[in-house]
Amino acid sequence: MQYALPLHSPAAVPVAGTDELFPVHRIYCVGRNYAEHAKEMGGTGREAPFFFMKPADAVLPVASGGVGEMPYPPMTRDLQHEIELVVAIGKDGQNICAADAMQHVWGYAIGLDMTRRDLQGEAKKLGRPWCTGKGFDHSAPIAPIHRFTETGPINGGAIALTVNGTPRQEGDIAQLIWSVAETIEHLSKYYALQSGDLIFTGTPAGVGAVAVGDLLVGTIDRLGELRVRIV
Ligand code: MN
């Protein structure tokens, strides 16, 4: 048997310090996982984590030392940044308990959950899906993935984003409402996690709009930086 059309090359993200690529299977995202951001989005207290997805080929991989170019997407007037710790899954699993979760973590990266906030807001108001607000082309800029064997578990450390040199988002991974292990426990009740999955773990407070020409620089302790220009 043959494919009726040419296959697309798989979505992939560079592995830091190597010439290897991490093949992306699915992209899961956690909503409202830092208390201050949950408040700015209108939430209260510790709600159970909730999830949404982006297509795997929404990744915009940015090489180490490089500047990614993200085209300003169509159908929005309010493109916003969300800096996030991304967890790369290396081992399949379902109904994973938090105590075992770290065995499934292959590595970590810095990512941006870019959001068409106006479309997301309209979807919330009308009770419609978030797909057009969250899961659009190039909506997941991501820096190279650092192997867990090199970083060890990341349960704390500064996470920050500047736009044109001005601080916009600042937080600490330790402020995650649901830790990486707890997030994997919850997520794996809903989906069979597979190697190649990426989990965007949520953003600290300070989300805001960007414009064409802006330079976004995201940093997370031990993971270097992610540089993206809006074009
Ligand atoms: Mn997010």
Side-chain angles (χ1 to χ4, degrees):
M1 296 289 277
Q2 287 183 12
Y3 290 99
L5 293 172
L7 288 181
H8 295 282
S9 41
V13 177
V15 177
T18 74
D19 55 8
E20 292 180 334
L21 293 172
F22 180 91
V24 180
H25 175 250
R26 289 181 183 168
I27 303 175
Y28 298 101
C29 304
V30 187
R32 295 184 186 171
N33 206 11
Y34 290 79
E36 289 307 310
H37 174 64
K39 278 187 212 159
E40 75 183 352
M41 291 286 118
T44 53
R46 198 188 199 213
E47 299 154 355
F50 67 90
F51 306 99
F52 58 90
M53 295 177 76
K54 294 175 186 267
D57 67 354
V59 286
L60 178 70
V62 181
S64 182
V67 181
E69 294 197 338
M70 179 186 175
Y72 196 96
M75 302 301 287
T76 184
R77 289 178 172 193
D78 193 13
L79 176 66
Q80 295 201 1
H81 54 74
E82 296 190 358
I83 184 74
E84 309 203 359
L85 172 68
V86 180
V87 175
I89 297 294
K91 182 181 155 192
D92 298 1
Q94 214 167 352
N95 296 312
I96 301 163
C97 64
D100 296 334
M102 299 319 285
Q103 298 168 22
H104 297 262
V105 175
W106 191 88
Y108 299 97
I110 307 172
L112 280 163
D113 167 17
M114 298 301 290
T115 302
R116 292 192 281 209
R117 193 73 71 198
D118 42 0
L119 298 189
Q120 186 203 20
E122 192 177 86
K124 281 183 187 172
K125 206 164 59 191
L126 298 172
R128 290 180 180 162
W130 285 10
C131 306
T132 60
K134 287 290 195 178
F136 53 95
D137 297 336
H138 319 298
S139 61
I142 184 169
I145 297 171
H146 292 250
R147 288 171 180 270
F148 183 89
T149 51
E150 286 163 21
T151 60
I154 295 182
N155 298 313
I159 176 170
L161 181 85
T162 65
V163 178
N164 303 326
T166 303
R168 286 277 190 94
Q169 293 190 266
E170 279 174 9
D172 194 290
I173 302 299
Q175 297 164 337
L176 279 172
I177 296 172
W178 299 95
S179 69
V180 169
E182 290 169 332
T183 295
I184 289 171
E185 176 173 305
H186 279 269
L187 183 60
S188 70
K189 291 177 187 172
Y190 293 93
Y191 301 97
L193 296 187
Q194 294 191 39
S195 63
D197 289 341
L198 298 177
I199 305 171
F200 281 63
T201 56
T203 198
V207 300
V210 293
V212 170
D214 284 351
L215 178 66
L216 287 61
V217 180
T219 52
I220 296 178
D221 280 357
R222 284 186 274 172
L223 299 180
E225 62 179 27
L226 167 63
R227 299 166 73 87
V228 175
R229 190 173 296 282
I230 310 298
V231 298

